[in-house]
Amino acid sequence: MTADSHEITSAEDLIPLHPDRNIALELVRATEAAAIRSAPFIGRGAKESADGAAVDAMRAFLSTVDFDGVIVIGEGEKDNAPMLFNGEHVGTGRGRSYDIAVDPIDGTTLTAEGRNNALSVIALSDRGTMLDASSVFYMDKLVTGPAGVGVVDIRLPIAENIQRLAKALGKPVEEMVVSVLNRPRHQQLIAEIRATGAGTRLMSDGDVAGGINAARHDARTDMCVGIGGSPEGIVTACAIKALGGHIQGRLWPRDDDEAQKGRDAGLEIGRVYEADDLVAGSNTIFVATGVTDGALVEGVRRKDGYVYTESVVLRGHSGTLRRISSDHLESKWF
């Protein structure tokens, strides 16, 4: 396993005084396993089979990690998700206590259709710091890199946000690129973005990768906006903490019943949730391994008796993004 990052990995990263660093590397093993196990289903049109294989693999590896984890964002409620359900305890129970968000495959449809940007994802933060927004399925989000902090605001019209961010970045509006999920609900939003002269990058799925790519300093997109999954918003916030970027979210209930369900769970419909509301504090870890190729990481590849994976590890405490490339003996997996 090799690491390539803008903060060089050293022996300090492995010593017991920094257990969260050890956990970060252990979590990579879980996302790698989920990605590898789902790889045979890429392009096969069987998203349930791919997701099931990823869930089984991730759960098996998480059970070996020395921490006391509670899944805040998982595969659903216990009755409908026999593994990695909301409220499930994972890990050995020894060590620090964490809130956990898991998505064994962010982009099951992408995987089934063999398209880009499917990821296996785990995010964690200290116990009690991660917002449980699972009672409201959708969230309207705005994500940028560090230049957007104190500059853009989800309450402003999209045209004004694009103009403000362009000025902060020192580039013409015509060079701005905004990522949006390609959904009927976003037709007006897409038209408004293009009316400014900015370009769009339409995503079929996978808005976690879209948000992270917009926040990276070397990204080809400048902003990610629109309505996507609430769980994905929390997961993205864990990554944005490490990138120094900007994220805001507003819950988007589909009907009055879902809005009331959210209020019953203690959520505030209409409130703008800032980064620290989504995930409090800076002790966050985000880990993702590519299932299929994408702008963030390469997907799983099998060649000449080896399985190759690429992962990213983002730590909010140190503001670090590491890339981990791993070569796995194929005979150990298949």
Side-chain angles (χ1 to χ4, degrees), residues 14-60:
L14 302 177
I15 61 177
L17 293 176
H18 301 279
D20 55 332
R21 293 179 177 175
N22 285 340
I23 287 172
L25 297 178
E26 287 296 306
L27 295 179
V28 172
R29 296 173 60 238
T31 56
E32 286 176 344
I36 291 171
R37 288 301 189 196
S38 64
F41 301 98
I42 294 173
R44 306 290 180 176
K47 65 179 185 179
E48 291 83 5
S49 297
D51 192 47
V55 168
D56 290 347
M58 181 175 284
R59 191 174 195 271

Side-chain angles (χ1 to χ4, degrees), residues 149-179:
V149 176
V151 172
V152 299
D153 193 297
I154 198 170
R155 287 163 284 220
L156 296 174
I158 186 62
E160 184 172 348
N161 277 326
I162 291 171
Q163 291 161 0
R164 285 179 171 220
L165 186 58
K167 182 177 179 180
L169 291 169
K171 61 194 295 186
V173 168
E174 291 74 19
E175 293 182 8
M176 298 287 288
V177 180
V178 182
S179 293

Side-chain angles (χ1 to χ4, degrees), residues 20 34 38 42 46-47 51 53 58 80 108 119 123 136 174 184 195 198-199 225 232 241 252 257 264-265 271 281 295:
D20 55 332
S38 64
I42 294 173
K47 65 179 185 179
D51 192 47
M58 181 175 284
N80 298 317
T108 52
L119 302 170
V136 179
E174 291 74 19
V225 297
E232 286 81 358
K241 292 280 183 141
W252 195 78
D257 288 342
D264 292 343
R271 172 183 175 179

Side-chain angles (χ1 to χ4, degrees), residues 51 103-111 117-121 205-210 232 291:
D51 192 47
D103 199 343
I105 303 181
D106 176 41
T108 52
T109 300
L110 298 176
T111 302
N117 290 319
L119 302 170
S120 177
V121 174
D205 284 289
D207 61 335
V208 171
E232 286 81 358
V291 177

Side-chain angles (χ1 to χ4, degrees), residues 94-317:
R94 299 188 296 270
R96 293 180 62 167
S97 298
Y98 292 102
D99 287 345
I100 311 293
V102 298
D103 199 343
I105 303 181
D106 176 41
T108 52
T109 300
L110 298 176
T111 302
E113 297 179 358
R115 292 187 281 131
N116 287 356
N117 290 319
L119 302 170
S120 177
V121 174
I122 297 175
L124 84 168
S125 62
D126 291 326
R127 179 67 55 80
T129 60
M130 191 177 289
L131 179 69
D132 181 0
S134 57
S135 56
V136 179
F137 190 78
Y138 286 117
M139 179 183 288
D140 188 13
K141 290 164 274 190
L142 168 62
V143 184
T144 75
V149 176
V151 172
V152 299
D153 193 297
I154 198 170
R155 287 163 284 220
L156 296 174
I158 186 62
E160 184 172 348
N161 277 326
I162 291 171
Q163 291 161 0
R164 285 179 171 220
L165 186 58
K167 182 177 179 180
L169 291 169
K171 61 194 295 186
V173 168
E174 291 74 19
E175 293 182 8
M176 298 287 288
V177 180
V178 182
S179 293
V180 190
L181 279 171
N182 190 11
R183 299 289 188 272
R185 62 179 177 265
H186 289 149
Q187 287 183 353
Q188 181 61 34
L189 176 61
I190 292 167
E192 291 176 6
I193 293 169
R194 291 173 175 170
T196 69
T200 55
R201 178 163 295 176
L202 302 184
M203 305 177 293
S204 56
D205 284 289
D207 61 335
V208 171
I212 295 172
N213 284 329
R216 289 167 52 204
H217 71 280
D218 57 348
R220 296 183 180 180
T221 56
D222 303 293
M223 184 186 297
C224 184
V225 297
I227 297 162
S230 294
E232 286 81 358
I234 310 304
V235 170
T236 303
C238 288
I240 299 306
K241 292 280 183 141
L243 296 170
H246 170 91
I247 182 169
Q248 291 173 304
R250 285 185 298 204
L251 296 168
W252 195 78
R254 291 168 288 186
D255 52 39
D256 291 341
D257 288 342
E258 189 175 44
Q260 187 57 51
K261 186 178 179 182
R263 285 189 285 267
D264 292 343
L267 299 172
E268 298 180 47
I269 309 302
R271 172 183 175 179
V272 174
Y273 285 88
E274 305 288 345
D276 282 335
D277 300 320
L278 299 172
V279 184
S282 62
N283 192 32
T284 61
I285 297 174
F286 172 92
V287 177
T289 299
V291 177
T292 60
D293 288 342
L296 185 62
V297 285
E298 292 185 351
V300 178
R301 291 174 293 126
R302 296 171 65 178
K303 185 178 179 181
D304 299 331
Y306 285 88
V307 181
Y308 301 93
T309 59
E310 184 179 22
S311 307
V312 290
V313 179
L314 295 92
R315 293 184 64 240
H317 181 71

